Amino acid sequence: MSDQLRPRASLRTAVVWEVLKDALDRQVKAAGRDALDVLDTGGGTGNFAVPAARLGHHVTVVDPSPNALFALERRAAEAGVADRVRGVQGDILGLFDVVERGGFDAVLCHGVLEYVDDPAEGVRNAVAALRPSGALSLLAAGLGGAVLARALAGHFTEARQALTDPAGRWGEGDPVPRRFTAEQLAELVSGAGLEVGAVHGVRVFADLVPGVLVDTEPGAVDALLQLEAAVAELPAFHSVATQLHVLGEKRP
């Protein structure tokens, strides 16, 4: 796909999607079924749910926003997967009011822990929704990326505030309630009884590179995607990633 046809949004999701797709493929082999039952908590308009449904999986999206669920329904219909995507209004802390325990082969928890009062309870609920040998895909805002971004923008006091604040916030105007280090996310996953399978840094460079450079330089999008993929698994870059992705696996 050319740069002109590839949406820049791919820079934000490509690494996570490749890791998730590989995890789903492994789950298919382990379960002995072509179609998995996938739960996407906070899945919104279906950035991951619709592609997962295109692979043939049945996806339940739990999200508190009726507008997001309406957009999800329309998006799934346009993609021809409406019969494999179900939207339910709810949130991760009240998860079992709307879905069953132990009913899913994979659970996605992307962009959720930043906004809940008790991240540990959120992860425990996500794990409790898994079947034996299930997998959890956890994506959350990274502390180091925010510190670096504020510093590069010349907001040095805010950068230091984010670094020392228990929630990783740079000030009252910070739109993100909470950020994490890779170690904190891994501890949440292991504390909920899962094995940490892999940790990836997401958007290490994508949010720092000027948009005009990516949009106008021939081949820039592809080259940046390849760079993001190359550094995603390197621990040295996890500390400056905008987001962190942890894959947890439930052992029978």
Side-chain angles (χ1 to χ4, degrees):
M1 185 180 294
S2 70
D3 284 355
Q4 288 72 27
L5 296 178
R6 186 196 302 276
R8 284 200 64 201
S10 64
L11 290 169
R12 298 176 177 268
T13 61
V15 168
V16 178
W17 173 245
E18 289 304 316
V19 176
L20 178 60
K21 185 176 180 296
D22 288 345
L24 293 176
D25 289 344
R26 290 196 301 272
Q27 290 298 110
V28 164
K29 294 176 182 177
R33 291 180 283 112
D34 291 336
L36 302 175
D37 294 310
V38 178
L39 173 64
D40 189 353
T41 64
T45 61
N47 285 341
F48 289 93
V50 169
R54 282 200 190 104
L55 296 178
H57 305 305
H58 301 283
V59 186
T60 298
V61 176
V62 175
D63 195 278
S65 169
N67 290 337
L69 293 174
F70 178 77
L72 167 71
E73 183 179 352
R74 184 174 64 245
R75 187 175 187 172
E78 291 172 353
V81 295
D83 59 329
R84 294 196 292 274
V85 177
R86 179 173 71 107
V88 182
Q89 190 172 1
D91 60 55
I92 197 166
L93 296 186
L95 188 60
F96 301 114
D97 294 334
V98 294
V99 300
E100 64 177 310
R101 291 179 181 270
F104 299 91
D105 302 292
V107 174
L108 282 56
C109 183
H110 295 173
V112 173
L113 297 188
E114 299 94 325
Y115 301 96
V116 299
D117 293 334
D118 189 343
E121 182 183 352
V123 175
R124 287 194 297 270
N125 282 353
V127 172
L130 287 171
R131 290 172 177 152
S133 301
L136 170 67
S137 175
L138 183 64
L139 181 69
L143 171 62
V147 174
L148 183 61
R150 300 316 289 173
L152 290 178
H155 304 301
F156 307 121
T157 300
E158 291 179 351
R160 188 171 184 276
Q161 171 70 16
L163 189 62
T164 57
D165 183 75
R169 304 187 75 232
W170 48 256
E172 290 297 322
D174 193 337
V176 180
R178 187 181 291 104
R179 294 184 178 89
F180 302 86
T181 65
E183 292 76 17
Q184 287 171 333
L185 288 178
E187 286 175 9
L188 287 173
V189 170
S190 60
L194 297 188
E195 266 188 34
V196 176
V199 179
H200 292 84
V202 180
R203 290 157 55 189
V204 175
F205 303 108
D207 291 348
L208 302 176
V209 176
V212 63
L213 175 62
V214 178
D215 293 335
T216 59
E217 287 291 324
V221 171
D222 283 324
L224 185 51
L225 279 169
Q226 292 172 21
L227 179 60
E228 289 280 355
V231 303
E233 290 190 71
L234 300 178
F237 290 91
H238 294 169
S239 60
V240 294
T242 299
Q243 291 181 312
L244 295 162
H245 182 254
V246 178
L247 188 67
E249 295 176 306
K250 192 173 185 179
R251 300 303 186 189

